[in-house]
Amino acid sequence: MISSMTGYGSASRQVSLGAGVVADLQVECRAVNSRFLDLGFRLPDECRGAEPALREMASQSLSRGKVEFRAAWRVNSGAAGAAKANPHALGSLNKDRLDALYTLQEHAQVAFPNAEALRIADILRWPGIVSEPRGEEEGWIAATVEAGRAALAALMDSRHAEGKALVTVLTNITSKMREIVKVIEPQVPVYVAQYQEKLTERLAEALAAQEQGKGNSGSGTELMERIRQEVVLYAVRIDVAEEFARLKTHLQVVDTALAGKGPVGKRLDFLMQELNREANTLSSKSVSEECTQAALELKLLIEQMREQVQNLE
């Protein structure tokens, strides 16, 4: 299935910290556009061990995009009940560290007699004072991998959904381009004939002016050079059949790619360049205002397609 490169997914799992305390772990997976697969991880220390597994999962499932895994956790709100039943559920005081902090405070108050004593909140936040239950490393890794797998699946679902919408948009644009070609291509011989008639009139006027000695060409040699340039320019401009043929072929390849499966972003990006090249050539070879306008419309639609293709994996 064709996918977009942007998407989001999240999932949560619980981790036992011991003593009846449970942590709520949430893993998010975000993705934006990128030429290649670029993986990033913002994980707390408890979840670091899961990074290799998450990296392997993402590499097997995705081919392009800047993808970032984020994880965060907090103690479950039900821990308050566990704390009443078991005072050590939320952690225990480190007596040695507490005594050291008390001694440090006494020394500080000798140096600064007017300093206020530490508040209980300050004491509990002091590094090493409270030894909180952290659970087992295996439990954290298993929960992180499991939540990461679910978040990645949700991300891929969102990418598939957006990819489906982009396919519809791009198919509509190719239909508009085909309609323009269908209208303008049969008219090209008419425009060429009109241009040929104008060219013939201009050459006839130049020749007549020379015969009467009133021409601005200056000499027969200069007049012949002007005629030669006009004819060469005309010969280049009349041949647009190849451009229309290639344009229609490229459009068919685009539709075939959109109807297929798997990553197509890079291939379609190349096809946008080819389509734009043909539209530019049609514009440069235009022999009428109608042809020029059609080429400009094609270029506008191609640019719209290019913007959307940048989002495809």
Side-chain angles (χ1 to χ4, degrees), residues 37 39 41 52-64 67 69 152 313:
L37 181 60
L39 300 178
F41 300 88
L54 294 177
R55 184 179 296 276
E56 183 179 358
M57 282 192 301
S59 299
Q60 291 177 350
S61 303
L62 308 171
S63 61
R64 294 178 69 195
V67 183
F69 284 90
L152 180 60
E313 184 178 12

Side-chain angles (χ1 to χ4, degrees), residues 115-136:
E116 295 182 0
L118 290 171
R119 296 174 298 176
I120 186 65
D122 298 326
I123 295 173
L124 293 177
R125 283 198 298 265
W126 198 270
I129 293 297
V130 179
S131 299
E132 299 177 338
R134 290 291 180 176
E136 298 294 331

